[in-house]
Every structure is written in C-alpha cells, then in structure tokens.
Amino acid sequence: MTLAEKIFARHMIGFNVGADAPTGPGEQSSAVSGVDGEAVQPGDTGFARADLRFSHEYVTPMAAIFFERYVGKDVKVNDPASILFFRDHLTFLDEVISEEKKKLGLLDLATQLKLKQQSFAAKQGIKLHGELKDRKGSEGICHSIVLERYALPDN
C-alpha cells in the first residue's frame, strides 16, 4: 500500500471494498469491513476517523448552523479537543472592502460570521485561533498553523 493508503487503512470505520461496493442509492455492499488496519485500495469507499478537524470563519458558521439545526442546539460535538477553528480569511476585510460593498451590508455579514464562530467555539469548548489582542491581525494562517503545530508524525 502507499503511505496514504496505510493512513486511510488505519483510520477506516467500516468500508466498501472495490468492485463489490454499492454503485447507486440504496445499494448494499457484500464486502463491508470494520477492521482497523485492513488494506485499502483505489476504488474503496467508506468513512475514516479524523485525528484533527479544522475550519475557518467562512465554513464554521455554516457547519455550526447545520449542527445546531440537525443535531441539536444543546448537543456537544464529538471530541472537541480534535477540532480547531481559525479566524484568518477575513481579518483585514474592513480595510480592503469597497464602500459599495459596505453599503450592501457585506462587512456586517462578515462580522456575523466571526461572531457565530466565536460563540460556537466557546459553547463547544473548541480552540479558536483568533485575532491578535495587541495589534491588527490573526494568530496565523490556518494551513500553516496546522502544519507547524498539529500535523506532526505520529499525531
């Protein structure tokens, strides 16, 4: 197996193997496995446990709204210690957005994204890499912080 296949195999939670995999809605596979570490190959489908999950302020509010609506407002996320939120994409928006777009209310909408992300993170106990306290800016770019601090071998 390739390195990627080994990682997927180690994290699979039951999967459909190759040609026996369902091809359409409602079809069931006769080859379903739930054994950690079993070999996987191109064409296999299934679900994998994620060691780390993260999102930024564009995605977090939408996911939070779906979670609250379809899972429940008072339900806790599974394993909040494995989730990270980032405020990095819109940190300087107020400095670069045009007056025309401000008049359309886009800056206000972006602020609502920030507030929803902050409140969901606080309610769920999820780490938020947010804006700096002492100057304008964010703690860093999500992809860089994940690579430098979290996506380490054997983590």
Side-chain angles (χ1 to χ4, degrees), residues 97-141:
I97 193 169
S98 69
E99 286 302 318
E100 178 184 330
K101 290 182 179 175
K102 282 183 189 176
K103 288 177 184 172
L104 291 173
L106 296 181
L107 184 57
D108 295 332
L109 289 173
T111 300
Q112 292 304 310
L113 295 175
K114 170 187 172 178
L115 297 174
K116 180 64 179 176
Q117 183 184 49
Q118 286 174 334
S119 67
F120 191 74
K123 182 177 182 179
Q124 293 287 343
I126 296 170
K127 168 75 175 159
L128 171 59
H129 287 278
E131 295 181 24
L132 298 172
K133 308 286 187 234
D134 61 338
R135 65 188 182 281
K136 184 87 172 174
S138 65
E139 291 180 36
I141 305 300

Side-chain angles (χ1 to χ4, degrees), residues 38-123:
E38 186 168 327
V40 297
Q41 61 186 6
D44 291 347
T45 61
F47 292 95
R49 286 183 317 276
D51 295 327
L52 181 69
R53 301 168 281 167
F54 78 94
S55 70
H56 52 71
E57 71 272 33
Y58 276 124
V59 179
T60 306
M62 178 179 54
I65 289 167
F66 284 139
F67 185 90
E68 291 170 347
R69 182 172 180 184
Y70 296 108
V71 179
K73 287 187 182 261
D74 297 322
V75 176
K76 292 294 186 184
V77 299
N78 182 36
D79 193 15
S82 71
I83 305 171
L84 302 169
F85 290 163
F86 292 89
R87 168 107 171 117
D88 62 352
H89 286 69
L90 301 175
T91 306
F92 293 98
L93 183 62
D94 62 319
E95 295 181 9
V96 297
I97 193 169
S98 69
E99 286 302 318
E100 178 184 330
K101 290 182 179 175
K102 282 183 189 176
K103 288 177 184 172
L104 291 173
L106 296 181
L107 184 57
D108 295 332
L109 289 173
T111 300
Q112 292 304 310
L113 295 175
K114 170 187 172 178
L115 297 174
K116 180 64 179 176
Q117 183 184 49
Q118 286 174 334
S119 67
F120 191 74
K123 182 177 182 179

